[in-house]
């Protein structure tokens, strides 16, 4: 054990020199994980379900990591997660009360304390948090989606450029990109196993997620941030928050982004004060430059057929992929030419952290995923805008949008948009009406 530790310290001293050498001239020197330390320090920003999971994944990455700071807007969420993580890792975490930050600006202090930051708040905050992490020269694991509106996307793209210059590793939580069946099948598709992909269908049809009802003591801002799924400035709607996983698979396979998107959607079941302003179903067509059309469907309906997977048709065959470790390729006669056999495939959530922390420990610069993270998120955002407005939206037109969903003032006593109407409901988009509000 001791020998391993000594060996590791020696290794980091030498490889740290190399790492610094590789990035001379960039402002990373002396900020992100550097020579002389045998521990990679982590900060968690957003202490909820996924944040807790990501910390567990970081500790299981095979590298010597230590959680040193935590930030959340709600004291009770931070306390609960601190307790869970402390119970699991004991003295392997070092988060004294002075490094448990609470509030809307808490992320800044936590980011400053660490080498690597885990960004797992609701996605509306992600662009600002990512920008701050990059400015401070930190490596990043950030959950998808990386934004909820186009100004947020542009912020992430700008920060991604700086991260590249500083050689900061950035992994976005599109975990299918780290899942063996997807990697194996898509490599074969890119190598031409089924010819050119000409159409596809991608699905996230499931029962939906939690609701966090209003508590009498909450201000409107507290209520919306807590019940974040149902407000676009925080969540982006479920086409952005969840279905981007499947849209990202289409973009990954095509190695391109759509040139235009059109679609339709509505609220069928989820109507009422607790469900904010989001839709519960979307059906979208993504058209690529070469004429390929990928049809996308997502819905949150209880008690009917569920489906979360992707299928593609190509000039010499077809493909089926799913997060349940399945991948099958057929030739044009329907003969199976590849079937993924999962043999102890790593958990993709875990694998993201294994690869990220290995790169950081070795001083390698391996991951600049923020760009595809941003463009696949943009696919969902343009999809939402197409459905809310009923218009065909070209990619380039979408990318120019100045619709900024973030409240003008971010403070507990400020009133975020949307505001409830006289009927007690938050207004939801109606295609064709007030389209300038949604594009
Ligand atoms: N890759 C995946 O499969 C996957 C799975 C689950 C969640 N996620 C993503 O992870 C993110 C978080 O989801 P979750 O399920 O953990 O949500 P959650 O509600 O359980 O946790 C979010 C936490 O962030 C805190 N928070 C809110 N605003 C904050 C701010 N400005 N600064 C600091 N903390 C803030 C909340 O108080 C809460 O504790 C989302 O983007 C979600 O899409 C991804």
């Amino acid at each position: 054990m001791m020998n391993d530790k000594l060996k590791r310290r020696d290794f980091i001293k030498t490889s740290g020199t190399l790492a610094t050498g590789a990035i001379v001239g960039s402002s990373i020197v002396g900020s992100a994980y550097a020579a002389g330390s045998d521990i990679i320090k982590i900060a968690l920003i957003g202490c909820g379900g996924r944040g807790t999971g990501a910390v567990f994944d970081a500790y299981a990455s095979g590298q010597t990591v230590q959680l040193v700071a935590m930030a959340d807007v709600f004291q009770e969420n931070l306390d609960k997660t601190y307790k869970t993580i402390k119970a699991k890792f004991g003295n392997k975490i070092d988060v004294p009360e002075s490094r448990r930050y609470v509030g809307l600006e808490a992320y800044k202090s936590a980011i400053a304390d660490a080498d690597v930051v885990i960004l797992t708040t609701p996605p509306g905050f992600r662009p600002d948090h990512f920008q701050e992490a990059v400015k401070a020269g930190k490596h990043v694991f950030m959950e998808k989606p990386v934004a909820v509106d186009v100004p947020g996307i542009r912020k992430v793209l700008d920060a991604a450029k700086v991260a590249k210059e500083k050689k900061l590793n950035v992994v976005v939580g599109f975990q299918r990109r780290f899942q063996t069946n997807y990697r194996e099948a898509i490599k074969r598709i890119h190598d031409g196993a089924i010819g050119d992909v000409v159409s596809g269908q991608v699905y996230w049809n499931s029962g939906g997620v939690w609701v966090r009802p209003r508590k009498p003591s909450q201000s409107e801002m507290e209520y919306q941030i807590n019940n974040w799924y149902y407000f676009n400035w925080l969540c982006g709607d479920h086409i952005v928050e969840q279905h981007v996983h499947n849209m990202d698979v289409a973009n990954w396979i095509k190695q391109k982004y759509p040139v235009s998107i059109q679609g339709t959607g509505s609220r069928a079941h989820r109507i009422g004060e607790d469900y904010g302003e989001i839709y519960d179903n979307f059906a979208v067509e993504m058209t690529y430059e070469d004429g390929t059309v990928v049809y996308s469907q997502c819905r949150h309906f209880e008690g009917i057929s569920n489906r979360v997977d992707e299928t593609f048709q190509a000039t010499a065959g077809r493909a089926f992929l799913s997060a349940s470790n399945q991948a099958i390729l057929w030739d044009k006669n329907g003969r199976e030419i590849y079937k993924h056999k999962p043999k102890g495939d790593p958990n993709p959530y875990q694998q993201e952290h294994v690869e990220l922390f290995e790169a950081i420990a070795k001083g390698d610069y391996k991951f600049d995923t923020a760009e595809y993270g941003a463009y696949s998120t943009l696919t969902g955002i343009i999809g939402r805008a197409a459905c809310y407005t009923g218009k065909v939206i070209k990619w380039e037109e979408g990318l120019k949008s100045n619709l900024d969903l973030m409240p003008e003032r971010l403070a507990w006593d400020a009133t975020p948009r949307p505001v409830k109407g006289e009927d007690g409901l938050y207004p939801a988009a109606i295609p064709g009406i007030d389209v300038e509000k949604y594009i």
Side-chain angles (χ1 to χ4, degrees), residues 69-104:
M70 297 169 72
D72 202 286
V73 287
F74 296 124
Q75 183 79 51
E76 61 176 309
N77 292 0
L78 191 147
D79 290 348
K80 189 169 156 234
T81 293
Y82 174 78
K83 242 171 128 179
T84 306
I85 295 174
K86 183 76 182 164
K88 172 79 178 166
F89 299 109
N91 291 338
K92 289 187 186 148
I93 76 165
D94 179 23
V95 196
E97 216 154 333
S98 59
R99 288 201 296 268
R100 283 177 242 157
Y101 306 101
V102 174
L104 290 160

Side-chain angles (χ1 to χ4, degrees), residues 45-51 71-74 77-78 81 103-104 106-107 119-123 125-126 129 143-145 173-176 204 210 212 225-226 228 234 241-242 245 349 352 410:
I45 323 294
C47 305
R50 187 73 264 280
D72 202 286
V73 287
F74 296 124
N77 292 0
L78 191 147
T81 293
L104 290 160
Y107 68 99
L119 304 181
T120 47
T121 65
F125 297 112
R126 199 92 70 243
H129 294 186
E143 263 306 343
K144 47 44 64 179
F174 280 121
Q175 71 272 10
R176 283 162 181 75
W204 192 302
W210 46 258
R212 295 172 180 157
I225 293 182
N226 190 44
W228 63 264
L234 292 153
E241 197 279 336
Q242 254 181 351
H245 279 299
Y349 292 95
E352 292 170 331
L410 192 58

Side-chain angles (χ1 to χ4, degrees), residues 420-435:
K420 270 201 272 184
E422 281 171 10
D423 57 0
L425 300 179
Y426 294 94
I430 302 172
I433 309 286
D434 293 338
V435 294

Side-chain angles (χ1 to χ4, degrees), residues 145-223:
V146 302
V148 297
D149 56 23
V150 182
I153 291 291
R154 289 197 292 262
K155 201 177 267 188
V156 171
L157 288 170
D158 287 348
K161 272 192 211 138
V162 180
K164 248 184 196 176
E165 285 158 22
K166 292 187 176 184
K167 295 190 163 54
L168 301 171
N169 285 291
V170 179
V171 166
V172 174
F174 280 121
Q175 71 272 10
R176 283 162 181 75
R177 299 248 185 182
F178 291 78
Q179 189 163 359
T180 313
N181 58 314
Y182 280 92
R183 284 177 161 181
E184 289 297 321
I186 292 177
K187 184 172 157 301
R188 285 168 172 79
I189 293 172
H190 288 165
D191 287 347
I194 57 171
D196 297 328
V197 169
V198 292
S199 59
Q201 301 77 35
V202 300
Y203 302 92
W204 192 302
N205 292 342
S206 69
V209 303
W210 46 258
V211 172
R212 295 172 180 157
R214 191 184 295 272
K215 296 178 198 160
S217 59
Q218 284 171 326
S219 68
E220 182 65 20
M221 183 66 81
E222 282 175 297
Y223 167 67

Side-chain angles (χ1 to χ4, degrees), residues 340-409:
H340 181 69
K341 294 196 180 73
K343 281 194 217 106
D345 287 0
N347 174 333
Y349 292 95
Q350 180 61 65
Q351 191 61 18
E352 292 170 331
H353 293 266
V354 166
E355 295 184 27
L356 171 64
F357 282 93
E358 187 186 24
I360 294 167
K362 287 183 173 167
D364 289 345
Y365 174 52
K366 255 183 101 175
F367 295 105
D368 63 348
T369 66
E371 195 176 293
Y372 75 63
Y375 285 130
S376 279
T377 301
L378 179 63
T379 312
I381 292 171
I382 296 180
R384 178 190 71 211
C387 296
Y388 280 9
T389 61
K391 290 176 68 145
V392 179
I393 301 185
K394 291 202 165 64
W395 183 263
E396 289 309 321
E397 179 196 346
L399 194 48
K400 285 189 200 137
S401 162
N402 288 319
L403 180 70
D404 186 343
L405 297 178
M406 184 57 79
E408 274 162 28
R409 194 166 67 87

